[in-house]
Amino acid sequence: MPKESFLVNRIKSVGFAFRGALLLIRTESSIKIQVFITLVMTAAGFYFEISNTEWILQIMAIGLVLGIEGLNTAIEKIADFIQPEYDEKIGFIKDISAGAVMFVSIAASIIGLIIYIPKLF
């Protein structure tokens, strides 16, 4: 069987990633909430006509939250697969992963406040 070309391989990889993103959105309530917040913040950006720099910061914050939330979900799924029963060490790993989501969510919230508080008042 001949080896796939680099381009074909990259196209397949993008397809797998897109499928993974859709699976996250369809199956995980935390991602659904984050996507809803993303839509609200994007609409707010258009409504308040935020600057290019503010758009960059907002998009980076949204991307970080969604990306880390996806990694957290993957870690939780792997942990549950490896050890379906409660395990203190697995719980510790899952808590750390959730803590990472909390860090980026707080940072994203602060970015949102810096962008939108001056526009509201």
Side-chain angles (χ1 to χ4, degrees):
M1 177 177 216
K3 188 175 177 182
E4 292 178 341
S5 73
F6 177 78
L7 181 62
V8 169
N9 189 274
R10 293 299 91 209
I11 291 170
K12 283 185 177 180
S13 292
V14 170
F16 294 140
F18 187 71
R19 188 176 98 205
L22 290 177
L23 280 170
L24 268 171
I25 293 168
R26 277 191 279 149
T27 62
E28 297 300 316
S29 59
S30 57
I31 291 286
K32 289 177 185 177
I33 292 166
Q34 298 296 351
V35 168
F36 174 76
I37 293 169
T38 294
L39 295 173
V40 169
M41 296 313 296
T42 300
F46 285 114
Y47 179 80
F48 289 107
E49 297 178 355
I50 63 177
S51 71
N52 286 344
T53 303
E54 291 168 330
W55 272 115
I56 290 167
L57 291 170
Q58 181 168 298
I59 290 166
M60 286 185 68
I62 288 168
L64 275 171
V65 170
L66 292 174
I68 298 298
E69 188 73 61
L71 288 174
N72 177 54
T73 299
I75 288 167
E76 288 181 352
K77 297 292 184 190
I78 290 169
D80 290 343
F81 178 76
I82 291 170
Q83 180 54 272
E85 303 298 320
Y86 175 78
D87 182 279
E88 190 174 316
K89 290 179 183 177
I90 294 291
F92 181 76
I93 292 165
K94 290 167 79 172
D95 288 348
I96 290 171
S97 180
V101 175
M102 187 181 76
F103 283 144
V104 295
S105 296
I106 290 169
S109 297
I110 292 168
I111 289 169
L113 292 171
I114 291 170
I115 292 171
Y116 291 105
I117 284 180
K119 294 173 182 352
L120 292 172
F121 298 105

